[in-house]
């Protein structure tokens, strides 16, 4: 096993033939050089806030700071 920054890096490693098998989130395009062999689990992307937050829905995010994972991590498609 090789620690990586997530799906994007995993796909890059597979394309470069540095690994023979990689994990990837289904919502990240893997290109024409890869194919799925198994679904490990269904994935959801959650937006979370503290229990006492005044943010109750997506619209309430306007003007707020939002922390997303680094660009190579699993939230990359969401950030675009």
């Amino acid at each position: 096993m090789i620690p990586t920054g997530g799906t994007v890096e995993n796909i890059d490693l597979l394309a470069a033939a540095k690994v023979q098998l990689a994990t990837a989130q289904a919502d990240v395009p893997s290109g024409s050089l890869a194919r799925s062999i198994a679904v490990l689990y269904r994935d959801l992307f959650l937006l979370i806030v503290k229990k006492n937050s005044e943010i109750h829905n997506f619209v309430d995010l306007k003007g707020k700071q939002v922390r997303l994972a680094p660009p190579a991590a699993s939230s990359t498609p969401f950030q675009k």
Side-chain angles (χ1 to χ4, degrees):
M1 293 186 61
I2 302 170
T4 70
T7 297
V8 174
E9 185 177 355
N10 294 349
I11 292 168
D12 290 344
L13 288 168
L14 188 66
K18 293 183 179 178
V19 298
Q20 291 77 44
L21 178 72
T23 59
Q25 289 187 285
D27 61 341
V28 178
S30 58
S32 61
L33 298 178
R35 63 182 170 86
S36 173
I37 62 168
V39 175
L40 300 180
Y41 64 92
R42 302 253 179 240
D43 191 359
L44 299 174
F45 186 83
L46 302 174
L47 296 176
I48 60 173
V49 296
K50 294 174 93 174
K51 279 190 172 187
N52 62 351
S53 174
E54 294 178 7
I55 299 170
H56 298 284
N57 56 51
F58 196 78
V59 180
D60 293 339
L61 291 174
K62 185 174 182 176
K64 305 289 191 282
Q65 282 190 342
V66 177
R67 171 65 176 125
L68 299 174
S74 60
S75 64
T76 301
F78 175 78
Q79 294 176 38
K80 294 178 180 177

